[in-house]
């Protein structure tokens, strides 16, 4: 849903609001609690943001906004929602990560660790020269990164018209290899976490990303490979999961 649509819903008289408008309204109030506003304010200062332009995506665990810096550069602002996040899943991923010795028992603290983990993983991936949004700042449950897209966010690769699927596949493979060389495995890679922009794939959503030291890293690498191979098979790309895994780790 785009911001204008959401705003129109908010401006409707109370008795004219549809079930959907009311639903969005509730979510909005839940996303912007004092804690989140405080963090938002901090990242806005840190990364020189002028304001939020609109909602790019409203998910169960995170809301992504488009924002713009004072000098006119577009940014994506990802706000993790504490209430609706999956404590158990986050806990299991953070537990095996050598970067985070103590796994927080408090939900808010765990979400902060989760957000910080995405920030750190994006830094590694960017440094490895993979095609990912560059992270700019994080505070608590809020993360600022490069915005991929034009006026609106870029489409997910599953919804995009892919110019040359064989090439796109190997571009993803190359990025996975670059990350692997820097000891990073995405761990949640699929057509749902790859954007397609300027005729090439861009990998996003790195909170689950883990270091090779994590006991499950190889298992997750295989799963990532399997998802990517399966998606591209529909377009006639013939590489197998084993070939992709080998390409990445050799
Ligand atoms: N850097 C970005 N630039 C443009 N759009 C983005 C960016 N990051 C996320 N999005 C949009 O927000 C959606 C959700 O982001 P994602 O990081 O996958 O969070 P989650 O899947 O945990 O809700 C993406 O599918 C994409 O449409
Ligand atoms: Mg995602």
């Amino acid at each position: 849903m785009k911001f204008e649509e959401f705003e129109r819903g908010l401006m409707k008289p109370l008795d004219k609001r549809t079930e959907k408008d009311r639903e969005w309204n509730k979510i909005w109030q839940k996303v912007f609690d004092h804690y989140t506003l405080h963090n938002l304010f901090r990242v806005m200062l840190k990364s020189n943001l002028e304001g939020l332009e609109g909602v790019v995506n409203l998910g169960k665990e995170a809301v992504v906004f488009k924002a713009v810096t004072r000098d006119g550069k577009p940014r994506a602002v990802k706000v993790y929602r504490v209430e609706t996040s999956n404590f158990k899943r986050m806990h299991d991923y953070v537990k095996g990560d050598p970067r985070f010795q103590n796994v927080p028992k408090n939900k808010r603290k765990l979400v902060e660790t989760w957000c910080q983990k995405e920030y750190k993983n994006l830094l590694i991936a960017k440094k490895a020269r993979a095609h990912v949004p560059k992270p700019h700042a994080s505070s608590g449950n809020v993360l600022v990164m490069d915005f991929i897209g034009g006026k609106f966010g870029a489409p997910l690769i599953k919804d995009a018209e892919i110019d040359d699927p064989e090439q796109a596949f190997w571009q993803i493979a190359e990025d996975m290899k670059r990350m692997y060389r820097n000891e990073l495995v995405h761990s949640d890679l699929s057509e749902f976490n790859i954007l397609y922009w300027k005729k090439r794939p861009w990998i996003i959503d790195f909170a689950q990303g883990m270091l090779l030291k994590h006991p499950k890293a190889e298992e997750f690498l295989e799963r990532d490979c399997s998802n990517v191979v399966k998606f591209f098979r529909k377009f006639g790309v013939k590489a197998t999961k084993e070939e992709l895994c080998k390409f990445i780790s050799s």
Side-chain angles (χ1 to χ4, degrees):
M1 176 190 244
K2 294 286 166 278
F3 188 64
E4 297 77 50
E5 211 183 311
F6 168 75
E7 214 175 20
R8 265 201 301 279
L10 273 190
M11 287 191 302
K12 277 186 203 162
L14 282 174
D15 60 339
K16 295 251 166 55
R17 288 188 195 168
T18 62
E19 195 48 50
K20 199 173 155 208
D21 295 329
R22 279 193 289 271
E23 196 62 23
W24 287 111
N25 202 343
K26 262 194 270 169
I27 293 171
W28 192 258
Q29 285 168 0
K30 278 191 186 150
V31 170
F32 289 107
D33 52 10
H34 283 294
Y35 161 74
T36 300
L37 281 175
H38 173 79
N39 289 328
L40 198 57
F41 184 66
R42 290 180 61 164
V43 293
M44 286 182 82
L45 284 180
K46 275 195 213 171
S47 47
N48 200 23
L49 296 186
E50 192 162 64
L52 299 180
E53 279 197 342
V55 178
V56 184
N57 185 67
L58 218 157
K60 189 166 151 275
E61 296 198 344
V63 186
V64 178
F65 298 91
K66 184 181 182 190
V68 62
T69 62
R70 293 195 185 279
D71 50 354
K73 295 193 185 87
R75 297 283 184 253
V77 178
K78 186 169 179 180
V79 177
Y80 279 97
R81 300 172 57 200
V82 177
E83 285 315 312
T84 49
S85 60
N86 184 334
F87 186 85
K88 177 153 186 348
R89 185 172 67 93
M90 289 182 176
H91 189 275
D92 289 350
Y93 277 91
V94 175
K95 213 171 95 193
D97 197 312
R99 292 170 294 180
F100 303 99
Q101 295 296 330
N102 300 314
V103 188
K105 294 194 174 57
N106 162 305
K107 197 166 181 182
R108 184 185 280 184
K109 280 269 174 291
L110 184 62
V111 171
E112 290 185 356
T113 306
W114 195 244
C115 182
Q116 220 189 333
K117 192 148 98 79
E118 172 151 38
Y119 180 82
K120 288 187 173 182
N121 289 338
L122 280 170
L123 271 185
I124 298 176
K126 195 71 203 171
K127 218 173 123 219
R129 293 192 302 118
H131 295 77
V132 306
K134 179 180 172 192
H136 292 280
S138 90
S139 174
N141 63 333
V142 184
L143 167 69
V144 181
M145 61 190 139
D146 278 347
F147 180 79
I148 313 289
K151 188 164 187 285
F152 302 115
L156 287 171
I157 198 163
K158 72 179 186 66
D159 304 319
E161 204 162 304
I162 308 171
D163 243 32
D164 180 343
E166 184 79 30
Q167 188 188 36
F169 173 83
W170 288 108
Q171 285 172 326
I172 294 169
E174 181 60 37
D175 278 352
M176 291 173 83
K177 189 181 176 106
R178 290 177 181 193
M179 295 193 284
Y180 187 88
R181 281 191 180 151
N182 285 269
E183 308 211 344
L184 181 69
V185 176
H186 185 285
S187 313
D188 191 23
L189 195 60
S190 75
E191 63 273 28
F192 290 89
N193 281 329
I194 302 173
L195 300 176
Y196 192 76
W197 182 243
K198 296 205 166 151
K199 297 181 191 262
R200 69 152 302 132
W202 295 82
I203 303 175
I204 59 163
D205 205 356
F206 275 78
Q208 289 198 76
M210 51 177 66
L211 300 181
L212 281 181
K213 290 190 197 96
H214 193 287
K216 292 210 165 142
E218 293 294 337
E219 182 189 321
F220 280 98
L221 176 68
E222 278 192 28
R223 195 179 66 181
D224 284 354
C225 288
S226 165
N227 290 341
V228 172
V229 161
K230 233 183 260 166
F231 174 72
F232 279 96
R233 190 155 299 154
K234 289 183 235 160
F235 301 94
V237 177
K238 292 200 175 63
T240 63
K241 178 183 113 179
E242 288 70 27
E243 280 165 353
L244 180 56
C245 281
K246 203 166 156 218
F247 172 79
I248 292 166
S249 55
S250 63

